Amino acid sequence: MIKQPTPLLPVLLADLHAFCKARKGRVNALAATLGTAQPTVSDWLRGVQEPGGEATLQMAAWLNREKAAEAAQVTAALNTLSARRAAPADI
């Protein structure tokens, strides 16, 4: 059997690697979500091993959820800051 190229997998793994590298604890959180050992997830992110199909789909879903949650936190913080600036100062 000839192994078919998976051009989307390297892109996903690169995105995951960059996202996890940006904040400590993300690899552990991803591993816990997947029910997989942290060293295995690290190997996937570094390209040492390749995850299976189900793990790949779960990693993509996790990345989307985490990015959306982070964006929501940033939006909430900006809204709070804007509300504080718009409020009249107590003198």
Side-chain angles (χ1 to χ4, degrees), residues 1 10 15 20 27 33 50 57-58 60 73 75 78 83-84 87-88:
M1 177 165 39
D15 286 349
C20 289
V27 174
T33 299
E50 194 171 281
L57 292 171
Q58 289 179 8
Q73 287 177 342
T75 299
L78 289 174
R84 286 182 186 167

Side-chain angles (χ1 to χ4, degrees), residues 1-90:
M1 177 165 39
I2 298 172
K3 184 176 180 180
Q4 296 296 320
T6 55
L8 296 178
L9 182 59
V11 173
L12 172 63
L13 293 176
D15 286 349
L16 275 163
H17 187 262
F19 185 78
C20 289
K21 191 175 181 181
R23 187 170 297 150
K24 188 174 180 167
R26 285 182 173 165
V27 174
N28 287 333
L30 176 57
T33 299
L34 298 173
T36 305
Q38 182 272 331
T40 301
V41 174
S42 291
D43 285 348
W44 292 339
L45 297 179
R46 289 182 289 128
V48 175
Q49 293 182 20
E50 194 171 281
E54 183 63 28
T56 300
L57 292 171
Q58 289 179 8
M59 288 190 298
W62 179 86
L63 181 60
N64 289 334
R65 283 192 310 268
E66 292 297 311
K67 283 185 173 183
E70 190 173 272
Q73 287 177 342
V74 168
T75 299
L78 289 174
N79 288 341
T80 300
L81 181 60
S82 294
R84 286 182 186 167
R85 286 186 176 180
D90 291 336

